[in-house]
Amino acid sequence: MKKQSVGNVQLAYIEEGQGETIVLLHGFCGSKDYWKELIPLLSKNFKVLAIDLRGHGDSEAGEASFEIEDLAKDVNDFLEQKSISSIHLIGHSMGGYVALAFAELFPSKLASYSLFHSTAYPDSDEAKHGRNKAIETIEKEGMASFIDGLIPKLFSDEFLERHPNVVENIKKIGYETSPAGAIYALKAMRNRPDRHSVVKNSHTPVLLIAGRNDKVISVERTLSVTASHVTTTILEHSGHMGMLEEPNQAAEIIHRFIQSHQ
């Protein structure tokens, strides 16, 4: 693990491999360790950077609340400091929201980007209510109670039954999330805009990856744009965590997509 100062926070990251750069952004209450099965597969052909977003994993939360756009600016500052001018950006769930904001703010730095179990839609009124309830739970009961309720929803029923140890490890990652960072992130996700126009008007290739059994973001909400520059695919046996549920298939999809646009 390495650390890089970005603004007033330090971001933790993993760096492996050589070649064109892939940047991996994890989801809410996750960390760079969400990608531990995928990194060895992708780093055979690419340089892979997996970053802990603010308030997650080993990265600092900072002293003030942030928006999704601020997380995208963190990623840009990180890349500038490392003199990286072109990337393939892959965002899981909340990381996908960050990837979309990055695509809107810094399009010239993208060779491609991917939404992995994510969506260009904003939160519905029901989802915003859910964010507010989550904030209440964290404030009143703490992270452990919240994470215990959240994590099982991320996996397909079959995976839950067959791989309880993986589910427990993902819970442990969640437990270590900064409560302030989690609350800031919930507010940021609640406030994010619709970014369908970013995907539709993209001048770079876009990959949309959905999980057939995703209980958090449906296939329809992930694969919501059809266009010549958009590639869509479904992981047939995954819930919301395809990088762990079907890592070999996910790596092959990503590798094939990037190779086809080099």
Side-chain angles (χ1 to χ4, degrees):
M1 182 191 72
K2 303 177 181 179
K3 286 202 171 185
Q4 179 75 52
S5 293
V6 173
N8 62 346
V9 299
Q10 280 202 320
L11 299 184
Y13 67 100
I14 297 171
E15 182 175 355
E16 290 188 19
Q18 293 183 330
E20 291 191 43
T21 301
I22 294 177
V23 174
L24 302 173
L25 304 178
H26 61 79
F28 175 59
C29 286
S31 80
K32 57 192 176 301
D33 291 332
Y34 268 24
W35 306 102
K36 65 182 181 180
E37 300 292 337
L38 214 54
I39 290 172
L41 300 173
L42 294 176
S43 61
K44 293 175 184 177
N45 302 99
F46 306 99
K47 177 161 79 171
V48 181
L49 291 163
I51 303 171
D52 282 345
L53 297 169
R54 281 196 199 198
H56 290 70
D58 295 303
S59 290
E60 298 170 348
E63 296 181 359
S65 61
F66 51 76
E67 300 296 342
I68 293 296
E69 294 79 7
D70 296 316
L71 300 180
K73 291 172 185 175
D74 283 349
V75 174
N76 183 62
D77 290 346
F78 175 91
L79 296 172
E80 297 233 319
Q81 291 191 44
K82 295 185 74 66
S83 299
I84 298 172
S85 59
S86 178
I87 63 168
H88 300 276
L89 184 57
I90 300 173
H92 169 244
S93 198
M94 181 182 77
Y97 309 153
V98 179
L100 279 170
F102 190 97
E104 184 172 52
L105 295 169
F106 311 106
S108 65
K109 295 191 175 178
L110 289 174
S112 74
Y113 65 95
S114 304
L115 305 186
F116 199 145
H117 307 311
S118 193
T119 182
Y121 282 107
D123 270 3
S124 64
D125 289 342
E126 181 182 0
K128 288 179 180 179
H129 177 71
R131 305 288 189 202
N132 293 334
K133 292 291 289 182
I135 291 168
E136 285 182 23
T137 299
I138 293 170
E139 288 176 338
K140 292 178 181 178
E141 302 175 24
M143 286 302 298
S145 176
F146 173 70
I147 291 298
D148 286 344
L150 171 68
I151 298 305
K153 299 173 186 174
L154 304 185
F155 295 94
S156 70
D157 292 340
E158 181 182 6
F159 192 89
L160 277 173
E161 184 177 337
R162 292 189 176 187
H163 302 281
N165 57 322
V166 176
V167 177
E168 286 305 309
N169 286 336
I170 295 303
K171 283 185 180 180
K172 289 175 184 176
I173 292 171
Y175 296 153
E176 294 172 4
T177 305
S178 154
I183 289 171
Y184 295 158
L186 283 161
K187 292 178 179 178
M189 290 189 289
R190 183 190 65 196
N191 296 340
R192 76 186 193 283
D194 187 310
R195 283 199 162 96
H196 274 91
S197 62
V198 177
V199 181
K200 290 174 182 175
N201 300 325
S202 179
H203 295 292
T204 59
V206 180
L207 172 64
L208 306 178
I209 304 175
R212 178 68 72 189
N213 302 304
D214 196 330
K215 304 165 191 169
V216 179
I217 299 177
S218 68
V219 170
E220 293 74 22
R221 287 182 72 81
T222 295
L223 310 185
S224 59
V225 178
T226 302
S228 60
H229 65 282
V230 177
T231 299
T232 62
T233 190
I234 299 173
L235 291 169
E236 292 293 341
H237 303 288
S238 290
H240 194 64
M241 299 290 280
M243 72 289 284
L244 293 169
E245 294 172 282
E246 294 183 83
N248 292 313
Q249 293 87 336
E252 174 59 29
I253 288 164
I254 292 165
H255 185 259
R256 190 167 60 241
F257 169 74
I258 292 176
Q259 274 201 322
S260 69
H261 293 97
Q262 286 178 324

